[in-house]
Amino acid sequence: MTGRTHELKVDKTTIGRVEDNTFQIAEPSVSSHHCEVLLRGSDVVVRDLNSTNGTFINGEKVTETVLKPGQVLRLGQIEMRLETEGMLSSAPAAPANAPSTPAPSSAPKKQFDQTVVMQRGVSLEQLEQGRGGGLGAAGKGFSKKDNKANKIIWIVAGSVGLVIVLVLLYVFLNINR
């Protein structure tokens, strides 16, 4: 996704994982229809479409708000930055609470962070020790599913199958006599 751009020309741009979006981002952490970007006069408004992983501007979760040039828009694990004409593509995004003082001209320009964080699952050991973040029905940590019910079902199915085979053998042997 690094270096990919999309020019906002229409009143509404939908962003999401599936093909019917105006701007498709084929990444699992992005919802099918994640958010929409609306042009209202000179404002660029971002509206979350009840996405699973949320829509964030400069790290703060939003449902609908104005996106300003230089701010970072995060959808799932994908980060984007709004740039306007004349804005340098290598200029860093200012944090939401940073003072608006100009940087000294001798300061080196910082590259925009293109890091994508990969989601990591929870191991069985963590679940068994209760570190998986969830609780079972008894208030204990999650544990490996017990297969007693599956074993019983297979035993019953096998017994029924054996009875059917024996009945068929009995019928075929008595028909030939």
Side-chain angles (χ1 to χ4, degrees), residues 66-130:
V66 173
L67 178 65
K68 297 182 178 128
Q71 287 185 319
V72 175
L73 172 64
R74 180 168 54 89
L75 312 176
Q77 299 298 322
I78 300 296
E79 289 185 341
M80 298 176 271
R81 184 178 53 181
L82 176 64
E83 295 182 359
T84 58
E85 288 185 22
M87 191 175 173
L88 295 174
S89 62
S90 62
N97 56 0
S100 59
T101 56
S105 59
S106 62
K109 291 190 187 287
K110 179 181 170 188
Q111 288 290 332
F112 179 69
D113 185 8
Q114 299 289 335
T115 304
V116 175
V117 177
M118 298 301 291
Q119 294 177 337
R120 182 175 165 254
V122 179
S123 69
L124 178 59
E125 291 80 29
Q126 289 173 320
L127 286 174
E128 289 173 343
Q129 295 171 3

Side-chain angles (χ1 to χ4, degrees), residues 17 25-31 53 119:
R17 193 176 66 248
I25 302 174
E27 208 279 327
S29 67
V30 176
S31 293
N53 292 321
Q119 294 177 337

